[in-house]
Each structure stands twice: as C-alpha cells, then as structure tokens.
Amino acid sequence: MSERPLPRHVAIIMDGNGRWAKQHKLQVALGHRKGVEALRAIIRESSDIGIEALSLYAFSTENWRRSPGEVAALMGLLLEYFTSEIDELDEKNVCIRILGDKDGMPDKQRAALINAEERTKNNTGLNLNIAINYGGRAELARAARILAEKAVKGEIRPEEITESALADALYTRGLPDVDLLIRTSGEMRLSNFLLYQCAYAEFEFPAALWPDFDLAAYHEALEAFRHRDRRFGGRNS
Ligand code: IPE
Ligand code: IPE
Ligand code: MG
C-alpha cells in the first residue's frame, strides 16, 4: 500500500505531566512546566512540516476538579505561555484559536487569550487550536443553542440543520475534521475531546509521558498514520 500524505489536522491530548513529576519526585506544577517545553517543540515542528491544523488539549472543563493549588499553577503557566510566546507565534504566521469557554476563565487569562486570537487572526500559517476550559459535550450543547437561537429568530429552518450547519456552529468552524488523534502516556480514551470532529480520526497512543514526547515520537505517530488504511465506510478496492 502506498504511503499517504501527512494528516491535515492533528489533535493531541497532552497527558502524563502528573506522572512525570511523580517519577522525578517533583511537584506536579513542575511536571506541567516541563510539559510546556514539549509543547513548544511540537508546535514549531508542526508549523515547519506544514501541518494545516494542530489542536492541543490544555485544560478540560473537568480539570477544575483538581486541587486549588494545581489549578492555580496551570492558570499561571497559561498566562505565562501566552505572554512569552505570542511574538514568536505571530512571527511564524501561526493563527491561534481558543477552543472552549473563555468567559469561564479568570480575567487576566481571558484577556491574554482574546489578545492572542485577535493578534493572529489574519495569519495564514499553522492553525493552532488550544483547548482551554473545553469539553466536547459543552461544545455540542453550545452549537445546539446557537442553532436554536437562529431558528427562533427565523434565520434558519429546522430542515437546514444539517451536519455542515452543526460543524459551522462548533469552535473548529472552517477547519478539516481531525485526521490523527494522539494521546500520550498510554491512556486510551477521549476524555471529552473533539467528540464530533474525531468521527473518523485515526488514533495513536504512544507510551511516552507528555514531557518526554519528543520530535522522534511525534514523527513515529505521523509515520504510523501514513500507513493506515482509511475507508470512511467505503472500500479501497
Ligand atoms: C495532562 O497531564 C495535563 C493536564 C490535564 C492539564 P496530567 O496532569 O493529567 O498528568 P497525569 O495524568 O496526572 O499523569
Ligand atoms: C485530559 O486529560 C485533559 C487534558 C490533557 C488537558 P486528563 O488527565 O484530565 O483526563 P482523565 O481524567 O485521565 O480522563
Ligand atoms: Mg491525566
């Protein structure tokens, strides 16, 4: 079978920071900090090899259940990341989009997220989606609300609520479906990430904990994808 092209849209569930910290007898916050370094390298590489869209799961609607100390550390890192990286990302022509409910974020973080989106919205390089305060079910409920409001106003008829109308009401509007979903740390579940967009995604579950996920591991996952036989319900002869 011939090799396929690279995935257009890669989604990554960056998991294993806590276990990495434990392994190294460090506080969990340091695991998350180390995780940011891995993230920088993966974003840069994705941009360099011409991936069209990269969606990273950074903080789920369920992650608020963690201890106040860990949540505060994550919020601090988020702010730091968006403040320190925005220049380089903008220079690299990266278009940043936040997936998730920004209104549920603390003021400073919300302002930084809005600023990143505004500043890079006309960039034409890598589409970098960062999922923050994101849940797939919440996203679908929000899409249903958007469409219902349009219907109530008479802007759309119920029969016009098609798969593509629904896709247009998601945060990922205008982007291709996820081709490859990678979850690090060996866990094999979606944890409420991109439920609609992953309908025909290929899955890779590398064992590496997120802070140890390097470019070699990333290329291994991309290579595995290129050998998959994708049928989308049909037959490839
Ligand atoms: C993923 O690492 C990062 C976030 C959820 C923010 P975890 O913190 O979930 O790491 P483990 O699963 O405890 O190892
Ligand atoms: C999913 O990881 C969320 C992120 C990576 C941001 P979790 O570690 O929160 O997921 P569960 O709890 O193991 O399913
Ligand atoms: Mg985890």
Side-chain angles (χ1 to χ4, degrees):
M1 192 189 64
S2 60
E3 283 207 357
R4 290 164 198 291
L6 285 172
R8 292 177 67 192
H9 188 169
V10 177
I12 308 185
I13 302 177
M14 310 182 289
D15 200 13
N17 295 350
R19 276 161 285 168
W20 186 93
K22 208 169 201 173
Q23 250 181 25
H24 292 79
K25 299 196 167 45
L26 297 168
Q27 289 190 345
V28 67
L30 287 169
H32 293 310
R33 184 168 285 282
K34 191 77 185 165
V36 175
E37 286 175 30
L39 168 144
R40 276 197 193 97
I42 297 298
I43 293 173
R44 201 173 301 134
E45 184 71 359
S46 302
S47 164
D48 290 349
I49 64 178
I51 298 289
E52 200 173 314
L54 175 68
S55 296
L56 301 172
Y57 206 3
F59 192 89
S60 74
T61 47
E62 289 77 32
N63 286 146
W64 297 108
R65 293 178 188 157
R66 298 194 178 187
S67 74
E70 184 173 353
V71 170
L74 283 165
M75 291 298 137
L77 269 178
L78 267 176
L79 192 59
E80 201 180 306
Y81 178 78
F82 278 93
T83 315
S84 67
E85 299 296 305
I86 185 72
D87 288 339
E88 189 190 325
L89 291 170
D90 192 22
E91 242 161 64
K92 272 196 164 286
N93 201 20
V94 170
C95 177
I96 299 173
R97 194 189 296 202
I98 305 302
L99 316 181
D101 181 15
K102 293 189 288 278
D103 291 339
M105 295 293 287
D107 291 346
K108 276 190 194 160
Q109 280 75 3
R110 184 174 60 246
L113 300 181
I114 292 170
N115 173 59
E117 285 187 316
E118 270 301 306
R119 221 182 116 174
T120 64
K121 69 177 178 203
N122 295 320
N123 288 351
T124 54
L126 172 71
N127 288 291
L128 175 63
N129 304 322
I130 307 192
I132 297 172
N133 196 17
Y134 173 88
R137 287 180 170 181
E139 179 184 36
L140 287 166
R142 173 179 173 271
R145 252 182 339 262
I146 290 171
L147 294 170
E149 275 163 17
K150 282 192 178 169
V152 166
K153 287 188 203 148
E155 292 168 12
I156 189 173
R157 283 175 288 123
E159 57 272 30
E160 288 172 324
I161 300 179
T162 57
E163 289 185 17
S164 82
L166 182 59
D168 279 348
L170 300 175
Y171 293 117
T172 47
R173 176 196 172 102
L175 297 174
D177 278 347
V178 173
D179 296 302
L180 170 64
L181 178 117
I182 300 171
R183 182 172 188 150
T184 57
S185 84
E187 304 290 357
M188 298 180 192
R189 55 177 170 271
L190 270 179
S191 299
N192 206 10
F193 194 39
L194 300 176
L195 299 179
Y196 187 88
Q197 299 87 337
C198 281
Y200 267 102
E202 298 292 329
F203 291 81
E204 275 293 312
F205 299 107
L209 303 175
W210 176 251
D212 294 327
F213 189 72
D214 57 13
L215 294 186
Y218 186 33
H219 278 285
E220 221 171 276
L222 293 171
E223 203 45 41
F225 169 85
R226 298 175 75 190
H227 290 88
R228 295 287 175 85
D229 184 19
R230 303 184 82 194
R231 292 187 287 275
F232 300 97
R235 279 192 211 291
N236 294 335
S237 81

